[in-house]
């Protein structure tokens, strides 16, 4: 049996290839073999102009669930003009926020209020609405479980109610024609 680790050198070399396809495959392969090394190597790829490669880099960083990744993820989502894949990235970012916990989710959700203006395609907007509804459902379920466990209002309950309210506002915004 071959040891995937022996290919690390080849994968790292692939990261500097002139073909974005090769770079994406190399990053994916390196990530499967050694995530830490892939994360480190991907830092040089954060400025790429290729949408698909940027999404791959973002997914890699989002999967780590570290606060340090937030500014990169947010900048990639909100400050990159003409990014056709923005709605795909939006789902990645929501998943990252959810992994970071409800307080972090709530604090960063406000930053996404400008997002609506950049997603014009009807199908993309519909995808965003579905993603928002999915997270609203998750928080609604957590809220019901918390309410069932206590008779009084408390911060975790109020926090989830605020998050659900904000998600409802975003859903309404994206559903406007």
């Amino acid at each position: 049996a071959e040891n995937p680790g022996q290919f690390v050198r080849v994968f790292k070399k692939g990261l500097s290839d002139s073909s974005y396809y090769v770079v994406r495959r190399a990053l994916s392969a390196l990530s499967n073999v050694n995530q830490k090394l892939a994360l480190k190597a991907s830092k040089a790829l954060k400025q790429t102009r290729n949408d698909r490669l940027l999404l791959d880099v973002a997914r890699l960083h989002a999967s780590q669930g570290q606060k340090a990744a937030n500014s990169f993820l947010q900048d990639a989502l909100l400050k990159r003009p003409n990014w056709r894949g923005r709605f795909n990235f939006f789902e990645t970012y929501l998943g990252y926020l959810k992994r970071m916990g409800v307080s972090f989710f709530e604090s960063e959700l406000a930053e996404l209020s400008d997002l609506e203006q950049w997603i014009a395609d009807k199908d993309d907007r519909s995808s965003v609405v579905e993603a928002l509804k999915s997270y609203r459902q998750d928080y609604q379920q957590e809220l019901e479980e918390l309410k069932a466990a206590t008779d009084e209002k408390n911060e975790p309950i109020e926090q989830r109610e605020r998050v659900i309210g904000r998600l409802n506002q975003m859903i309404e915004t994206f559903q406007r024609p």
Side-chain angles (χ1 to χ4, degrees):
E2 294 181 27
N3 175 5
Q6 70 189 18
F7 296 112
V8 166
R9 205 178 72 224
V10 174
F11 299 152
K12 283 176 73 175
K13 188 171 191 265
L15 293 174
S16 58
D17 196 271
S18 61
S19 162
Y20 286 122
Y21 179 81
V22 171
V23 174
R24 289 181 65 218
R25 294 294 153 249
L27 181 62
S28 175
L30 184 58
S31 178
N32 288 334
V33 174
N34 187 329
Q35 275 222 327
K36 273 188 175 171
L37 204 54
L39 266 175
K40 189 175 175 186
S42 74
K43 288 184 175 142
L45 303 172
K46 285 182 175 181
Q47 301 304 319
T48 183
R49 292 268 170 239
N50 183 277
D51 291 347
R52 287 186 172 142
L53 178 57
L54 184 64
L55 185 59
D56 289 348
V57 171
R59 283 181 173 150
L60 178 63
H61 285 267
S63 72
Q64 301 305 299
Q66 296 176 348
K67 281 188 181 176
N70 191 54
S71 60
F72 159 65
L73 296 172
Q74 222 174 56
D75 283 354
L77 179 61
L78 299 174
K79 296 181 181 160
R80 183 173 173 126
N82 306 320
W83 186 4
R84 291 184 314 273
R86 187 176 268 123
F87 72 95
N88 287 327
F89 185 88
F90 179 70
E91 213 163 20
T92 297
Y93 187 62
L94 283 177
Y96 162 78
L97 291 179
K98 180 86 165 108
R99 271 192 295 288
M100 296 302 294
V102 68
S103 296
F104 196 77
F105 193 97
E106 180 183 20
S107 69
E108 298 304 313
L109 206 52
E111 294 292 323
L112 301 179
S113 57
D114 289 343
L115 191 61
E116 184 269 337
Q117 67 185 334
W118 284 314
I119 301 179
D121 182 81
K122 192 176 149 201
D123 290 338
D124 293 351
R125 291 174 76 85
S126 178
S127 295
V128 168
V129 167
E130 291 311 307
L132 290 169
K133 284 180 176 179
S134 169
Y135 286 95
R136 180 182 65 186
Q137 185 178 348
D138 289 351
Y139 283 114
Q140 191 69 49
Q141 191 172 345
E142 287 180 20
L143 179 63
E144 298 306 319
E145 289 168 9
L146 286 167
K147 282 182 172 178
T150 183
D151 289 338
E152 63 215 41
K153 275 213 170 209
N154 57 36
E155 181 55 26
I157 287 175
E158 292 168 2
Q159 192 170 41
R160 279 158 185 83
E161 288 173 340
R162 288 191 304 267
V163 167
I164 291 166
R166 183 72 188 114
L167 288 168
N168 284 335
Q169 288 173 343
M170 291 177 77
I171 289 167
E172 284 176 32
T173 302
F174 275 98
Q175 285 178 326
R176 284 187 206 128

